[in-house]
Amino acid sequence: MKKILAILLTWMLVLPGFAVAADDVALPPVPASGNVTLPLDEYNRLVELASKPARKPDTPPVPYTMKRADLKFRVANESVQGTVQLQGEILRKGATKIPLTTGMAILDARQEGKGLPLELENGTHTAVLNGPADFAVTLDAGLPLSIEAGRASFNLPVPSAGSVRLALVVPGDHTNVRISPGIITSRSSQNGQTSIEATLVPGQPASVWWTTRETVAPVAPKEVRFLSDVKTLVSVSEADIRIAALADITVVQGEPSQFQIEVPAGFEVTGATGASVESSEFESGILTLKVTGQAQRSHQFLISMEKSITATKADAPFLSFKDAQRETGEVLVEGAGTIELSTTESGGLKRMDFKEMNQYLRSLARFPMQAAFRYHKHSNEQPALVLEWTRFPDSSVLAAVAERAVVTTLVTTEGRSLTEIKLTIKNQAQPFLKIALPAGASILSAEVAGEKVKPVEGPDGNRVPLLRAGFRPVDSYTVSFVFMHSGAPFAKKGGSDLSLPKMDVPINLLQWEVFLPERYKVKDFGGDAIAANLLPAASLDVSGAEGIVNGMGEQYFVRSIGMVSLLPGQLGGMIVDPAGAVIANARVTVTHLDTGAVRNVVTDNSGRWTVSNLSSGPVKISATAPGFNGLVRDFNYDGTSPAPLNFALSLGSVSQTVTVTAEAGRNIMNLETLQPGLQKHAEKQQTAASANVFNLQQRVSGVLPVRVDVPRAGNSYNFVRPLVLDEETKVTFTYKSK
């Protein structure tokens, strides 16, 4: 311990914080070795400093950098030779593989005057150097020189360095040397040679060329032979016929510099493009396409033309390339607007399925496709296609329609109302839903397919987006918005009314649930909507609840007065205990004895269950619930006139099963006579709130940008209105306080 303290004290004295300049104050004498007394905090600090690990140096983000490249080349003896000097820095410790150059013939490599071994990897010369350190590498390199009639050129691979400089010497006085890409900074001529200096773009190959006086003996051109395949889209509109032709040319022999196309009479060329097209000319019914890259074996052109029409009959044009050895193609006919188009083909034209058409040609089509053909031209047989059509006046088409509107309104004791409208939309192209809100109402939030959107307020009404960025609907989807109305405070008794806004999309069925505080007794409902309890039981579907999901993933929107309303193909009912109370989460299994199909479903909070898409025939139904005896029943099901099946489970163990036989189509029990209290229970269920009310109550708490004291206890009243066409929906009622 004494030795450790002595070492620590000595270290303290040599630290910069404790050092004192000799010319300021004389250093005190160093005491003899022995025990030193330090405060505990100071001792702990020294121990912590001694145990702190040394900081590791940061690793460089890249293993090396190439700072500069100097290229010096000379053109002589139909070749380009010179040196490439590369300067850079290795940032990491140890051996590092560095790519030097690509596309050059390397004759020798040196580093600091010593030979440097190179390795060739995928056409790139690399070297292994040790670091960290600066490096300088010199390469002796050569490049091939291309000499044509009156022109010499070569391609120069440019290293990826911070800066690249080129010094080039070419034969000839005042030779006009050009470089692309790059900038020539200096040019001089002396002793029959021209010297230039240039700055190049790092990492981008440069093309260097100049004119020469050497001549090359002319070579007799080969006869040009090529094949053409033309895919033509014929668009018949009200005022003209338009042609879009995608031509593929395959050169078999020779190096053609141009192609000529016979344009059908009366047509005007509106465009001719292609990757190899240098220019185009149209004269005397011939379209001439001059091309670059004459050595290419294939060319592709997109040619468009049009012709005005007044008649209802015309010949479809076929583009033909002059001197083609073989001509094949496809023709696709489309009609704009409401049109009935007939075709008469001849001359080897063969009909084909639209699915067999070229995908690029189909992508050009914008209107309904009418017919498709393929052909192979022969010298003695030319394809012909006669088009004849009848045009019908266009009629307006609905851009959007609401298959269903589910509306939930919460009314507070102050008379304020909070309403959520959910629309199941089928939309073709309508971007916004125009809404005319009642006076004193304002929109709080809106959503499209579960994502929030921002409503827009205009001078002629509010607008809720029906589409959003990145959303491309292919089927029905949900659009919802919430608005608040100030209303009028409730008195002890009186009358009130609620209104829904006008919406500019047709609504097939509007279902409206109004939730009123429990303390108010309401009656005498009126207005545009129909009270749900007045509808026939077979069509009762007005709850607006989100639905009950069974084991098969089916969803039902069924709610009735103490019973289950069934549609053809449905089977359902209620399950209660001996006292008449409903049993929730009871498991019901329906087995079709002929088909073997099995449907599993559980009862909801009201004891109801329903299955759909069930065919007529013998079925077996089993019902189980924890704490009750199971029940099994066989009967013949008639899917055309289904009747509710209601079960009462007796108390006991689920391991015990009661089998009941009954006549076909008869109910297993009558809920109205099971217990007198069940009728009151059914009446209470009529005004029970659906899941939509609870969901909207939860959204008010911290989700919606407004504070509303919605009632937690109350009664729901359901209304329905079919075929709502841009009109206001209103419900009126009278009330008195309990």
Side-chain angles (χ1 to χ4, degrees), residues 31 51 71 127 212-213 238 271 284 325 376 383 465 490 659 702:
S51 61
L71 286 68
T212 64
R213 297 179 181 178
E238 188 173 354
S284 302
Q325 270 60 50
H376 183 176
F490 282 111
T659 303

Side-chain angles (χ1 to χ4, degrees), residues 1-3 5-6 9 32-37:
M1 178 61 72
K2 294 180 180 180
K3 292 183 178 180
L5 293 177
L9 182 59
S33 61
N35 296 332
V36 177
T37 302

Side-chain angles (χ1 to χ4, degrees), residues 272-499:
T273 59
S276 59
V277 174
E278 183 177 21
S279 62
S280 62
E281 298 177 357
F282 179 62
E283 185 177 357
S284 302
I286 301 295
L287 174 64
T288 302
L289 301 178
K290 297 184 178 180
V291 298
T292 59
Q294 301 176 9
Q296 291 185 22
R297 297 292 91 187
S298 62
H299 301 269
Q300 190 173 69
F301 311 121
L302 180 61
I303 304 165
S304 58
M305 55 187 68
E306 61 183 27
K307 174 185 177 181
S308 299
I309 56 173
T310 56
T312 58
K313 186 176 181 180
D315 293 331
F318 292 85
L319 298 188
S320 178
F321 282 80
K322 294 186 65 175
D323 302 325
Q325 270 60 50
R326 187 186 70 186
E327 293 182 276
T328 58
E330 298 176 359
V331 178
L332 178 62
V333 182
E334 65 173 0
T338 308
I339 185 173
E340 181 182 357
L341 193 147
S342 60
T343 58
T344 305
E345 67 272 13
S346 60
L349 210 59
K350 306 294 182 182
R351 285 185 178 267
M352 60 185 299
D353 193 287
F354 295 118
K355 297 179 181 179
E356 301 176 10
M357 293 295 299
N358 180 272
Q359 58 180 345
Y360 300 110
L361 184 62
R362 281 190 295 169
S363 67
L364 296 176
R366 297 178 299 160
F367 305 108
M369 294 178 284
Q370 304 288 337
F373 306 89
R374 65 162 55 97
Y375 64 88
H376 183 176
K377 285 186 179 181
H378 299 281
S379 58
N380 58 350
E381 187 181 41
Q382 295 295 323
L385 180 63
V386 178
L387 307 176
E388 190 170 0
W389 59 90
T390 302
R391 188 173 298 280
F392 302 95
D394 293 332
S395 58
S396 58
V397 178
L398 287 176
V401 62
E403 298 176 338
R404 185 164 175 261
V406 177
V407 184
T408 307
T409 298
L410 307 182
V411 182
T412 68
T413 55
E414 294 82 9
R416 301 171 70 186
S417 62
L418 188 70
T419 302
E420 180 181 36
I421 299 180
K422 290 185 179 180
L423 302 170
T424 303
I425 293 289
K426 261 199 168 180
N427 190 6
Q428 300 295 330
Q430 186 166 330
F432 288 96
L433 170 67
K434 184 179 177 182
I435 300 171
L437 291 173
S442 59
I443 296 180
L444 303 180
S445 66
E447 293 183 354
V448 172
E451 296 289 339
K452 288 188 177 181
V453 294
K454 186 177 181 181
V456 179
E457 184 175 354
D460 57 344
N462 295 76
R463 286 171 172 79
V464 170
L466 291 179
L467 298 171
R468 53 180 169 80
F471 178 60
R472 298 292 183 270
V474 296
D475 204 349
S476 302
Y477 62 97
T478 302
V479 174
S480 65
F481 62 94
V482 178
F483 70 91
M484 187 176 65
H485 191 274
S486 56
F490 282 111
K492 289 186 178 181
K493 63 178 180 178
S496 182
D497 62 82
L498 299 171
S499 298

Side-chain angles (χ1 to χ4, degrees), residues 591-598:
T591 304
H592 198 286
L593 299 181
D594 285 346
T595 63
V598 178

Side-chain angles (χ1 to χ4, degrees), residues 664-727:
R666 289 186 59 188
N667 201 340
I668 193 170
M669 68 171 183
N670 188 346
L671 289 181
E672 305 297 335
T673 61
L674 180 63
Q675 183 179 341
L678 188 57
Q679 177 65 28
K680 294 183 179 180
H681 174 76
E683 294 176 356
K684 186 176 182 180
Q685 288 293 316
Q686 179 184 358
T687 58
S690 72
N692 292 342
V693 172
F694 301 122
N695 293 339
L696 186 55
Q697 288 174 341
Q698 292 176 356
R699 293 184 61 192
V700 172
S701 303
V703 177
L704 294 175
V706 66
R707 176 176 176 82
V708 182
D709 295 327
V710 298
R712 297 300 172 182
N715 298 315
S716 279
Y717 302 90
N718 293 280
F719 306 91
V720 64
R721 186 183 185 190
L723 299 177
V724 183
L725 301 174
D726 199 12
E727 51 191 329

Side-chain angles (χ1 to χ4, degrees), residues 57-320:
D58 295 334
T59 303
V62 294
Y64 68 93
T65 61
M66 192 75 72
K67 300 179 180 178
R68 180 174 177 178
D70 292 324
L71 286 68
K72 298 179 180 180
F73 286 97
R74 177 182 295 272
V75 178
N77 299 325
E78 298 184 356
S79 65
V80 182
Q81 296 184 5
T83 60
V84 178
Q85 295 180 348
L86 302 173
Q87 298 179 12
E89 182 180 1
I90 302 171
L91 304 176
R92 295 181 179 177
K93 186 176 182 181
T96 302
K97 183 179 291 187
I98 301 176
L100 300 177
T101 185
T102 301
M104 296 185 184
I106 304 300
L107 308 177
D108 189 20
R110 300 178 300 279
Q111 182 184 18
E112 297 180 355
K114 298 180 181 180
L116 177 66
L118 301 181
E119 182 179 355
L120 185 62
E121 292 184 353
N122 299 325
T124 301
H125 292 88
T126 62
V128 178
L129 305 177
N130 291 323
D134 293 334
F135 67 87
V137 176
T138 302
L139 305 176
D140 294 338
L143 295 168
L145 181 65
S146 176
I147 300 178
E148 302 173 356
R151 174 187 169 102
S153 62
F154 67 92
N155 292 322
L156 178 62
V158 180
S160 297
S163 63
V164 182
R165 300 275 299 174
L166 170 66
L168 176 65
V169 178
V170 299
D173 290 327
H174 304 288
T175 303
N176 186 16
V177 181
R178 298 182 183 180
I179 300 176
S180 178
I183 300 176
I184 297 177
T185 59
S186 171
R187 190 190 304 266
S188 62
S189 182
Q190 186 178 4
N191 299 328
Q193 293 181 333
T194 299
S195 301
I196 65 166
E197 293 183 0
T199 300
L200 305 180
V201 179
Q204 292 190 17
S207 179
V208 184
W209 74 95
W210 62 92
T211 57
T212 64
R213 297 179 181 178
E214 299 180 15
T215 59
V216 179
V219 178
K222 293 183 180 180
E223 181 184 1
V224 174
R225 295 178 179 270
F226 65 92
L227 313 177
S228 72
D229 184 70
V230 182
K231 299 172 180 62
T232 306
L233 174 65
V234 182
S235 302
V236 180
S237 65
E238 188 173 354
D240 55 25
I241 293 181
R242 298 182 181 181
I243 304 299
L246 186 63
D248 289 302
I249 302 298
T250 302
V251 179
V252 179
Q253 178 181 293
E255 297 182 355
S257 60
Q258 65 181 28
F259 296 93
Q260 292 185 328
I261 305 165
E262 298 177 3
V263 178
F267 279 87
E268 178 184 356
V269 178
T270 57
T273 59
S276 59
V277 174
E278 183 177 21
S279 62
S280 62
E281 298 177 357
F282 179 62
E283 185 177 357
S284 302
I286 301 295
L287 174 64
T288 302
L289 301 178
K290 297 184 178 180
V291 298
T292 59
Q294 301 176 9
Q296 291 185 22
R297 297 292 91 187
S298 62
H299 301 269
Q300 190 173 69
F301 311 121
L302 180 61
I303 304 165
S304 58
M305 55 187 68
E306 61 183 27
K307 174 185 177 181
S308 299
I309 56 173
T310 56
T312 58
K313 186 176 181 180
D315 293 331
F318 292 85
L319 298 188
S320 178

